[in-house]
Amino acid sequence: DRYDTSARLAKELVRLTGYSDRAIVASGENFPDALTASSIAAKDDVPVLLVKSASVPDYIDKAMKDMGIKKTILVGGNNSIGKNIESELRAEYRIAGNNRYETAKLVSRYGYKNPKKIFLTTGESFADALVSSGLAAMENAPIQLINPKNNSDNYMDFTNKENIEEIIVLGGERSVPERIVEFFINIK
């Protein structure tokens, strides 16, 4: 299952990098938080472990012990990763907004201090963000999820907007409508 897969991949990453005292934890029940966290995890060679909202699967608990994970960063609110499992996850910090779009903005702020590029993709489905996470990490660029239906949900960390030189749009017109691309270009 997905929890066993995330544990196995985490162990393989640690085997390849030798780095194992931290991990990022996200929900295995919903995709957005794990996707936005994937670029900072890849950038920092930190594994992503998936959990259930109210419990830590045995695979994950064993993997954390085997790898010597001392601290984790939780990505997602209390509905995604319950407060009742924070101590079991050795949570040091939680990144969570009011919704997936704000959480993506906060992940960007946490992981990328002065990005020159930003990747925009829909937060309504996973495919475009999934295939972009490795490239985003290589480009030292955050992934910002956008809501193609509602501009009010489209967050961008405006404190660093003057540093952004390139906006990379992932997906077609249905995923990222032209009006939203123009919105981001015009506020830049």
Side-chain angles (χ1 to χ4, degrees):
D1 69 8
R2 67 187 72 187
Y3 307 102
D4 182 34
T5 300
S6 78
R8 289 173 187 252
L9 287 172
K11 287 179 182 179
E12 183 63 12
L13 178 68
V14 168
R15 187 187 71 74
L16 293 171
T17 65
Y19 187 76
S20 68
D21 73 335
R22 288 187 317 143
I24 291 175
V25 176
S27 171
E29 298 169 320
N30 205 354
F31 69 89
D33 299 334
L35 285 178
T36 55
S38 65
S39 71
I40 63 170
K43 175 177 77 77
D44 295 338
D45 291 330
V46 177
V48 176
L49 297 170
L50 301 178
V51 298
K52 297 179 180 180
S53 61
S55 66
V56 178
D58 291 339
Y59 301 116
I60 301 303
D61 186 52
K62 182 175 179 347
M64 289 179 68
K65 289 175 183 159
D66 291 350
M67 293 184 295
I69 301 292
K70 295 178 180 72
K71 300 183 270 188
T72 64
I73 298 168
L74 308 183
V75 177
N78 294 333
N79 290 334
S80 297
I81 304 170
K83 285 191 76 60
N84 62 312
I85 61 173
E86 282 182 348
S87 62
E88 190 177 350
L89 292 169
R90 301 167 192 93
E92 174 184 46
Y93 187 73
R94 182 186 289 264
I95 303 171
N98 292 322
N99 57 39
R100 64 184 64 182
Y101 309 104
E102 188 174 9
T103 298
K105 178 196 79 169
L106 295 172
V107 167
S108 296
R109 184 182 294 164
Y110 177 85
Y112 299 93
K113 301 307 177 204
N114 292 302
K116 300 287 184 207
K117 295 180 182 180
I118 187 167
F119 285 76
L120 294 182
T121 190
T122 183
E124 300 300 302
S125 63
F126 67 90
D128 295 332
L130 176 65
V131 298
S132 70
S133 61
L135 180 59
M138 289 178 63
E139 295 283 345
N140 199 32
I143 298 170
Q144 179 60 55
L145 300 180
I146 59 98
N147 183 340
K149 299 174 189 124
N150 183 351
N151 255 13
S152 66
D153 282 341
N154 294 321
Y155 296 94
M156 184 175 188
D157 189 352
F158 301 121
T159 59
N160 292 327
K161 69 179 183 178
E162 65 277 356
N163 296 324
I164 295 174
E165 298 169 358
E166 187 175 0
I167 297 173
I168 301 162
V169 179
L170 302 165
E173 172 73 22
R174 292 170 81 188
S175 297
V176 185
E178 188 62 34
R179 65 180 167 72
I180 291 178
V181 174
E182 289 173 12
F183 168 78
F184 278 96
I185 289 171
N186 290 333
I187 60 169
K188 184 178 149 326

